[in-house]
Amino acid sequence: MKRQVLCSVVLCLLAVAGISAQGPALLNGIRDTAACRKWVDRQMERMTLKQKVGQLFIYTLQPVVTQYNKNVLRKAVEDYAVGGLLFTGGEARKQVQLTNYAQSYASVPLMVTFDGEWGLGMRLKGTPSFPYNRVLGCIQNDSLLYAYGKEVARQCHTVGVQVNFAPVADVDNNPQNPVINFRSFGSDPKRVADKVVSYTRGLEEGGVLAVCKHFPGHGDTEIDSHKALPELSFDRSRLDSIELYPFRKAIEAGIGGVMVGHLHAPVLGEEPASISQQVIMHTLIEELRFQGLVVTDALEMKGIAGHDDVCALALMAGNDMLLAPRNLKKEIDGVMTALKKGTLSKEEIDRKCRKVLTFKYALGLSDWHDVAEDGIEEKLQTPELSELQQELAKAAVTVLKDSSALLPLDLSVSGTVLLSVSSSLSEAYPFYNQLHQGFPLSWIHADADSLEVIATRLRPAQRILVALHSQEVEPYASLLENLAADKPLALVCFEDMKVLEKIPEAVRHASTVVLAHSDEAYLQREVADLFLGNACANGRLSIPLAGMFKAGSGITIDPDAPRKYCPADLGMDASILAHIDSIAEEGIRLGTYPGCHVMVLREGLPVYNKCFGYYTYEGKNPVKENSLYDLASLTKVTATLLAVMKLYDEGKFGLTDRVSDYLPVLKKTDKSRITVQDLLFHESGLPAYLPFYEEAVDMKSCKGELFRKKPDKNHTLKLAENVYACNDFRYNPEWVSHTPSAEYSLQVADSLFLKPEFSQHVMEQIVKAPLKGKSYRYSCLNFMLLKEMVEKIAGMPMDSYLDSVFYTPMGLRHIAFRPLRKFAKQEIVPSVEEDYLRGGPLQGFVQDEAAAFMGGVSGNAGLFATAHDVAKIAQMWLDKGICGDRRYLSRATCELFMSLKSRSSRRGLGFDKPDVDHPENSPCAPETPASVFGHTGYTGTCVWVDPEHDLIFVFLSNRTYPSAFGPNNLVRYNIRTRIQQAMYQSLMR
């Protein structure tokens, strides 16, 4: 009810102001309409007719704090009662000083305007700037334009500005236009309109009046209205569909101001638009129903300045405010003469003045206070500003083509060269440095005097990245064209997009073209991350370019949205593969896991690749392509076995070598005769499991034992059948602390830290553990010993060894032990909601207790990875040791480890294999050939490699969430094996 009354009052106010209730959002937002009416009436009563006329003028001067300038300003305010000011150029602090000075002499507060199309930096030295509109026109997310407008409004308030002569609503559809071009959001009227509306809403919701310009449209002209009068020689249908369209949409959205340009549109009116009643009164106000402030473009411009009494003509035409007349006194006198002659009426001046005053009230000028000068630079330059500037620039990055699928780069391929066309190497260094951190590449600085030398140096390159940091690219046109025609070449433009029109043939032949628009260091790093697969790009071209790309062109590059391949092209039935969807979704529905990632590759290409569900059952974070999972026992093959295979390949040991030869601690024990092959086949006689962590628990704090077979009041947490854990216990301070320190440096949970020496205690327990015969017994202890052996032979920690020998050179970007050292927590899927041993959730900390108390790096578990990186390791095995253009393992080693099988179990040499003799006990589908090898993981993971059909199957889930000790529905409902079965059934015979 209160809202309805308020709206009624607003209706009355707007009627008094001479506008309708469907008008500007700024006026509709006035809360106390009675107070507004009272304030406007009071100002009107105090003013003479000449002062009312003065309120319609916006006086322009430079913000120079000299006595002469202050005298001129005071005269304009006191003698002519100007309604507004526009400062041109200068410094923010001086503008603020003059603003306060002028306001102190104003009987009616002044409306301070600004011409900041790309922020305050357009006019004021040392103040923030934003990308040009042509660049912002490439952004798809218009909410960023809203945020941009809101930030500009904040900055305007900081320097005492209430009106910004922006945004430009002109459509950039004439490449020969000398004055609009980059100031426009683009050549598509609809996209221009969307950007105009979003920016306007942000600016005006921030309390600053937006004035879109240059009505009826300055885009398709070839004359600068600063120098002469341009003509729009189009019919009305064309004007409606292009030039007028953004203005119409801005008016419908409630924009408060429109600037009329000095343009001649014969179909709309005989006179220049800024002094044409037909254009302003008939088209803008009556047809488009605009009821905000109509402002002229600067009246000192040559496109209109030749007219006598131009200000009187502009007011008669329908303008409300007059910007920058050449001679203030003369023009005010001209308006007063027109009033005396009756060509202008007092009522019209009253109406316009009341309208201006109403906007002043809406902009807060009824309660004006001096602008604070102190700390103005700090107020303008905020961390939030920097973040927004970067966000806008990054969102505008546009990939125009990627015909050879260079994005993201296959980091396993060597021979990449970066050619930088720049004035200096330092200018191009951020791009190179970011790339170099991801993979090795050569770097050449272009020199126009050494083109033959450059061509010779580039001849061996496998692929070339060309970074353009300079507008002087013509000397390199022939070189780039020849290179692009010969091998994969990516052109990255860190300059204005128009630079590419200077090298059209190079653009035509290039495999990849990326527009970065600018070469700030952060933007260079962002584009480098795009090539490395760590960033997205979804910009769309704002204007046609180089005769090859239409406005709207662009490719979305998203690491979380993989390329798709046609299963039929690789001999698989897509309709049968689609059955995997329902199986994966069934797992979620049955509470088997909250989410999963399923990937099937054939002949090295993903024929099926989908993410399902969320990180948790709360449904907040969806599983994505680069979500990292705790691999659990997949660590055995994707980490430990990889290292073992490499060292074996290098002849560092033999399969029948005794492990005690490398781990002397095993000598003179019952484990001294265990061989490497025994460990790989799980035939060492070691027990299946040891509770290493018990030493870290203060057993005296447990009421009863740590575990009991039956539940009681102190043992209610069920871990397994007939196993219940103590509800409450303390940790042994000899080993564990809740706070990190140099002594307790290994983090095993969010608030739990361990002494590094605890791993020695683990080894001591393994050494002391009694053997139980040499028959097959799956045991994590086998691979824990293999990890120790690897580190002894390699002479470094296993995780470092794997990074240097496999993961980094193979281009695996999302794989790591102790992943929180490298990745943000939100990139990692949690494995447990409340861990019984460590307390609290496990997200980024390995779920396996043994691996955790080894510091997170163990031979049996601890590795985190994405499905993509697991698949890439599997593909390397399938390709007999080759990944990209490099061999990592010999063919003979791969064939040995992939084919050798134990005589007493289904186990392979480190790998698990299908049980073809007892399919009911097999970890694989019944259709799986005996040649398949791979492994499963306790957290709900698996990888299976089929050399016979050239297939790879990867399944990652967190079936241990929320509890690792609930029923294993993954096995109960055969989710993994049924998915694998669908994969085999899809094979076309």
Side-chain angles (χ1 to χ4, degrees):
M1 184 63 186
K2 289 182 178 179
R3 185 173 181 82
Q4 291 176 343
V5 171
L6 177 59
C7 289
S8 299
V9 177
V10 170
L11 276 167
C12 296
L13 172 68
L14 298 178
V16 171
I19 55 181
S20 73
Q22 290 76 35
L26 266 175
L27 297 191
N28 291 337
I30 294 173
R31 294 182 179 179
D32 192 341
T33 54
C36 174
R37 183 201 302 268
K38 185 177 180 181
W39 185 82
V40 170
D41 288 343
R42 187 166 62 250
Q43 308 310 312
M44 290 292 290
E45 290 166 2
R46 288 173 10 188
M47 284 191 285
T48 65
L49 180 59
K50 187 175 181 179
Q51 288 174 327
K52 292 175 184 176
V53 169
Q55 284 295 302
L56 311 183
F57 281 77
I58 300 173
Y59 186 64
T60 306
L61 77 165
Q62 287 189 325
V64 180
V65 186
T66 62
Q67 192 57 50
Y68 172 79
N69 221 31
K70 290 168 74 173
N71 291 342
V72 170
L73 182 56
R74 182 173 177 179
K75 184 176 181 64
V77 173
E78 281 193 327
D79 294 359
Y80 299 112
V82 293
L85 295 176
L86 173 64
F87 293 103
T88 58
E91 300 173 13
R93 184 177 294 274
K94 291 179 180 178
Q95 175 164 322
V96 168
Q97 289 172 357
L98 287 177
T99 295
N100 290 336
Y101 177 79
Q103 294 284 20
S104 70
Y105 288 100
S107 57
V108 177
L110 293 154
M111 183 185 284
V112 181
T113 66
F114 195 81
D115 190 17
E117 294 172 16
W118 52 87
L120 299 187
M122 180 175 174
R123 301 295 179 189
L124 296 176
K125 298 173 185 176
T127 58
S129 287
F130 291 86
Y132 293 141
N133 285 351
R134 175 179 286 173
V135 175
L136 298 178
C138 296
I139 296 174
Q140 293 211 77
N141 180 7
D142 288 342
S143 65
L144 287 174
L145 274 292
Y146 172 86
Y148 165 39
K150 200 77 175 286
E151 170 60 20
V152 170
R154 184 193 69 81
Q155 293 177 25
C156 285
H157 285 302
T158 303
V159 295
V161 167
Q162 295 83 41
V163 179
N164 189 18
F165 294 136
V168 171
D170 302 317
V171 178
D172 181 19
N173 53 356
N174 186 337
Q176 305 307 314
N177 191 307
V179 66
I180 298 302
N181 47 68
F182 65 88
R183 298 163 63 193
S184 165
F185 286 116
S187 62
D188 181 338
K190 184 181 185 306
R191 294 184 70 199
V192 169
D194 290 343
K195 301 289 184 291
V196 165
V197 168
S198 295
Y199 174 84
T200 294
R201 283 179 173 153
L203 193 68
E204 295 200 337
E205 287 183 24
V208 171
L209 175 66
V211 180
C212 66
K213 58 189 184 185
H214 307 84
F215 187 84
H218 201 337
D220 196 355
T221 64
E222 296 182 12
I223 294 175
D224 183 351
S225 57
H226 292 83
K227 300 176 180 180
L229 183 66
E231 183 164 312
L232 302 172
S233 54
F234 311 115
D235 61 29
R236 182 57 191 266
S237 174
R238 150 63 194 258
L239 290 176
D240 280 335
S241 61
I242 296 180
E243 279 77 12
L244 295 176
Y245 184 84
F247 292 97
R248 185 188 303 275
K249 291 301 176 182
I251 292 167
E252 289 174 0
I255 192 169
V258 168
M259 177 179 286
V260 182
H262 307 313
L263 307 160
H264 184 212
V267 73
L268 298 181
E270 297 178 3
E271 298 293 333
S274 52
I275 57 171
S276 169
Q277 283 193 11
Q278 291 169 296
V279 172
I280 299 174
M281 295 299 294
H282 178 68
T283 304
L284 178 59
I285 295 175
E286 293 177 15
E287 287 190 23
L288 300 187
R289 302 184 66 186
F290 178 63
Q291 286 115 21
L293 278 181
V294 183
V295 185
T296 68
D297 204 346
L299 293 169
E300 61 188 2
M301 293 164 60
K302 291 182 180 178
I304 197 67
H307 290 73
D308 293 331
D309 294 326
V310 68
C311 288
L313 293 174
L315 291 175
M316 286 187 278
N319 290 286
D320 298 307
M321 298 197 80
L322 310 162
L323 176 62
R326 278 181 179 270
N327 187 314
L328 181 60
K329 179 182 183 305
K330 180 182 176 182
E331 292 300 334
I332 288 181
D333 288 345
V335 174
M336 296 304 294
T337 299
L339 283 164
K340 289 178 182 177
K341 290 181 178 179
T343 52
L344 258 176
S345 70
K346 176 182 177 298
E347 291 73 25
E348 184 67 9
I349 296 298
D350 279 355
R351 189 189 67 79
K352 292 178 186 293
C353 184
R354 188 174 289 277
K355 189 174 179 181
V356 169
L357 291 172
T358 303
F359 270 96
K360 285 189 175 186
Y361 184 91
L363 294 168
L365 284 168
S366 64
D367 188 27
W368 165 262
H369 297 285
D370 277 1
V371 182
E373 295 179 34
D374 294 339
I376 194 166
E377 291 81 8
E378 292 76 14
K379 291 174 185 175
L380 290 174
Q381 303 284 356
T382 65
E384 292 77 16
L385 162 67
S386 178
E387 184 178 337
L388 177 60
Q389 288 172 317
Q390 293 190 27
E391 199 172 358
L392 287 164
K394 291 175 182 179
V397 173
T398 303
V399 179
L400 291 180
K401 67 172 176 174
D402 188 32
S403 57
S404 296
L406 288 180
L407 290 169
L409 292 172
D410 182 347
L411 302 187
S412 64
V413 176
S414 59
T416 303
V417 180
L418 169 62
L419 176 65
S420 295
V421 180
S422 60
S423 59
S424 67
L425 279 175
S426 59
E427 182 183 18
Y429 180 74
F431 186 54
Y432 163 74
N433 186 50
Q434 191 75 1
L435 287 170
H436 184 62
Q437 290 182 31
F439 74 114
L441 79 163
S442 302
W443 190 21
I444 298 175
H445 185 233
D447 183 349
D449 296 326
S450 307
L451 296 180
E452 291 186 10
V453 174
I454 293 172
T456 301
R457 291 180 64 187
L458 288 172
R459 196 165 292 129
Q462 296 296 310
R463 57 194 179 188
I464 301 170
L465 309 183
V466 179
L468 304 177
H469 299 264
S470 168
Q471 301 226 5
E472 306 301 320
V473 296
E474 294 93 330
Y476 306 99
S478 179
L479 170 67
L480 297 180
E481 179 186 346
N482 293 334
L483 290 170
D486 180 53
K487 58 191 66 182
L489 181 144
L491 275 176
V492 184
C493 185
F494 289 106
E495 279 285 341
D496 184 283
M497 64 179 76
K498 288 285 187 177
V499 166
L500 295 182
E501 295 187 338
K502 299 178 180 180
I503 49 172
E505 291 307 308
V507 174
R508 192 181 309 278
H509 288 94
S511 305
T512 302
V513 178
V514 180
L515 300 178
H517 308 290
S518 181
D519 73 345
E520 280 89 353
Y522 70 81
L523 201 51
Q524 292 190 45
R525 291 191 290 269
E526 175 76 5
V527 177
D529 280 341
L530 179 67
F531 278 91
L532 294 172
N534 297 326
C536 303
N538 72 336
R540 295 295 182 266
L541 194 59
S542 57
I543 58 169
L545 186 65
M548 284 171 269
F549 306 106
K550 297 178 180 179
S553 298
I555 301 169
T556 295
I557 302 295
D558 185 354
D560 287 325
R563 291 188 178 91
K564 292 180 170 58
Y565 296 88
C566 179
D569 293 341
L570 296 158
M572 302 184 80
D573 189 325
S575 64
I576 298 177
L577 274 176
H579 294 167
I580 295 174
D581 291 18
S582 59
I583 301 171
E585 288 164 354
E586 177 188 337
I588 296 173
R589 192 170 62 253
L590 294 172
T592 304
Y593 43 74
C596 66
H597 189 172
V598 185
M599 181 177 282
V600 176
L601 280 73
R602 191 166 203 206
E603 298 177 17
L605 298 176
V607 291
Y608 185 95
N609 178 22
K610 286 189 180 181
C611 298
F612 297 88
Y614 296 84
Y615 282 17
T616 69
Y617 289 106
E618 286 74 25
K620 292 181 180 179
N621 298 312
V623 176
K624 296 181 178 179
E625 291 292 317
N626 289 326
S627 297
L628 286 93
Y629 278 89
D630 181 343
L631 298 185
S633 285
L634 254 62
T635 302
K636 292 181 173 70
V637 294
T638 54
T640 313
L641 186 60
L642 271 183
V644 168
M645 292 173 75
K646 184 65 176 179
L647 295 172
Y648 172 83
D649 205 30
E650 293 173 344
K652 299 294 177 65
F653 64 85
L655 294 178
T656 56
D657 285 1
R658 294 177 178 178
V659 180
S660 59
D661 292 341
Y662 307 99
L663 299 178
V665 70
L666 298 181
K667 291 184 181 294
K668 297 181 181 181
T669 71
D670 58 352
K671 301 163 188 68
S672 62
R673 300 177 65 84
I674 294 174
T675 66
V676 174
Q677 183 170 291
D678 290 338
L679 296 178
L680 291 169
F681 279 151
H682 291 277
E683 294 174 357
S684 65
L686 285 166
Y689 179 73
L690 288 175
F692 302 109
Y693 52 82
E694 286 187 353
E695 186 69 20
V697 175
D698 180 1
M699 301 304 289
K700 295 179 181 178
S701 68
C702 297
K703 295 179 180 179
E705 299 173 316
L706 184 58
F707 304 109
R708 283 196 170 182
K709 291 184 178 180
K710 294 183 178 181
D712 59 29
K713 65 178 181 179
N714 298 315
H715 297 76
T716 59
L717 181 61
K718 184 177 181 180
L719 305 186
E721 198 64 35
N722 299 322
V723 180
Y724 293 84
C726 180
N727 302 341
D728 187 25
F729 60 84
R730 292 188 298 273
Y731 297 101
N732 184 348
E734 180 185 350
W735 294 112
V736 181
S737 172
H738 288 289
T739 55
S741 65
E743 188 178 9
Y744 300 94
S745 58
L746 288 180
Q747 189 174 11
V748 296
D750 284 334
S751 301
L752 207 62
F753 300 86
L754 188 70
K755 286 184 179 179
E757 295 80 11
F758 193 84
S759 61
Q760 298 172 12
H761 169 72
V762 172
M763 285 303 301
E764 290 170 5
Q765 287 194 61
I766 295 176
V767 171
K768 294 175 182 177
L771 296 182
K772 298 183 179 181
K774 285 292 194 110
S775 61
Y776 166 70
R777 182 184 298 104
Y778 179 78
S779 172
C780 288
L781 278 58
N782 293 313
F783 274 74
M784 293 174 75
L785 284 179
L786 284 170
K787 178 251 186 187
E788 299 300 316
M789 185 188 80
V790 164
E791 294 186 340
K792 284 287 186 181
I793 297 172
M796 66 176 73
M798 187 176 75
D799 54 336
S800 301
Y801 178 73
L802 288 164
D803 275 337
S804 62
V805 176
F806 288 102
Y807 300 159
T808 297
M810 286 177 67
L812 306 185
R813 296 184 290 266
H814 298 91
I815 190 167
F817 288 92
R818 296 184 285 211
L820 289 171
R821 297 184 176 187
K822 186 176 179 182
F823 302 98
K825 182 172 282 191
Q826 60 265 29
E827 297 178 73
I828 307 169
V829 180
S831 55
V832 174
E833 184 177 33
E834 183 73 24
D835 185 62
Y836 84 96
L837 181 62
R838 285 167 277 174
L842 296 180
Q843 187 172 10
F845 300 101
V846 60
Q847 181 274 328
D848 182 87
E849 295 89 355
F853 282 83
M854 287 291 287
V857 182
S858 184
N860 68 307
L863 191 64
F864 289 70
T866 62
H868 286 277
D869 282 1
V870 172
K872 200 160 189 178
I873 293 171
Q875 190 64 49
M876 185 267 289
W877 290 324
L878 199 53
D879 292 336
K880 307 297 175 63
I882 294 175
C883 180
D885 60 354
R886 176 174 170 178
R887 179 171 286 283
Y888 292 85
L889 297 167
S890 71
R891 184 183 186 90
T893 293
C894 288
E895 289 180 345
L896 173 66
F897 277 77
M898 288 160 54
S899 61
L900 193 61
K901 180 180 175 294
S902 170
R903 294 179 181 179
S904 58
S905 76
R906 71 171 192 251
R907 288 280 165 176
L909 203 56
F911 292 109
D912 198 359
K913 295 180 73 64
D915 194 336
V916 293
D917 297 326
H918 306 90
E920 68 279 3
N921 297 324
S922 178
C924 299
E927 294 85 349
T928 307
S931 59
V932 165
F933 60 93
H935 216 282
T936 57
Y938 181 77
T939 53
T941 60
C942 75
V943 58
W944 294 109
V945 185
D946 183 346
E948 185 177 325
H949 297 100
D950 205 350
L951 282 170
I952 293 170
F953 166 44
V954 180
F955 179 91
L956 301 184
S957 76
N958 55 336
R959 73 102 195 155
T960 52
Y961 192 92
S963 171
F965 303 106
N968 191 344
N969 288 337
L970 194 63
V971 174
R972 179 182 177 185
Y973 297 113
N974 297 312
I975 300 294
R976 289 178 297 201
T977 52
R978 287 163 58 202
I979 290 175
Q980 190 178 32
Q981 188 172 45
M983 175 185 77
Y984 280 112
Q985 290 173 349
S986 73
L987 291 173
M988 299 176 180
R989 306 300 178 186

